[in-house]
């Protein structure tokens, strides 16, 4: 019976996050601090990411203080989904820090990020603008198109 329990524990489904900050894997450093992670995939707005972490040691207020525009990439790693010992990684996306908020007690940091690089000049470039022109259809033309 003990062997069956070990086998069941090993075969249990698990999910974990792999977090890259500015290209560096910081998953092991924040593993014990992670309270929640949510990602919103939107059709009409920018995708968003919310990371909530414990800040008991105050590291997020000093040496780990993230800055606006810095990059976060998240992978959701699934173990034993579908098949035992199978690992699947789902790329949740690349995001750029928008705001960093602190609250407490208990001391918590909430990092909000968006899917648009706010440091990029892509919006300012003329070739990236969508130029719309309105075409006025006169009454006689509109009637001929309908009938």
């Amino acid at each position: 019976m003990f062997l069956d329990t070990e086998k069941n524990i090993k075969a249990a489904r698990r999910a974990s996050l792999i977090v890259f900050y500015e290209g560096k894997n910081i998953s092991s450093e924040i593993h014990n601090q992670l309270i929640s992670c949510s990602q919103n995939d939107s059709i009409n707005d920018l995708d968003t990411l919310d990371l909530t972490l414990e800040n008991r040691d105050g590291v997020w207020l000093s040496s780990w203080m993230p800055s606006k525009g810095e990059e976060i990439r998240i992978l959701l790693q699934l173990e034993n989904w579908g098949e035992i010992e199978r690992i699947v990684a789902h790329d949740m996306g690349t995001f750029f820090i928008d705001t960093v908020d602190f609250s407490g007690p208990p001391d918590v940091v909430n990092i909000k990020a968006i899917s648009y690089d706010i440091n990029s000049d892509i919006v300012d470039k003329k070739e990236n603008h969508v130029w719309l022109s309105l075409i006025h259809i006169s009454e006689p033309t509109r009637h001929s198109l309908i009938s």
Side-chain angles (χ1 to χ4, degrees), residues 39-105:
Q39 187 250 353
N40 182 20
D41 193 1
S42 178
I43 293 174
N44 298 322
D45 295 319
L46 295 173
D47 295 348
T48 60
L49 175 76
D50 288 318
L51 275 177
T52 304
L53 303 129
E54 291 179 355
N55 191 32
R56 283 189 221 158
D57 301 330
V59 294
W60 293 101
L61 285 168
S62 58
S63 60
W64 287 13
M65 179 67 172
S67 297
K68 188 170 187 162
E70 292 181 328
E71 183 181 295
I72 296 178
R73 182 171 173 230
I74 306 281
L75 299 175
L76 175 62
Q77 182 172 289
L78 305 171
E79 296 178 47
N80 300 323
W81 249 263
E83 298 175 27
I84 295 175
E85 297 186 14
R86 180 174 178 218
I87 298 174
V88 177
H90 171 70
D91 190 347
M92 293 175 65
T94 300
F95 300 87
F96 301 89
I97 294 175
D98 189 33
T99 61
V100 180
D101 299 314
F102 297 91
S103 63

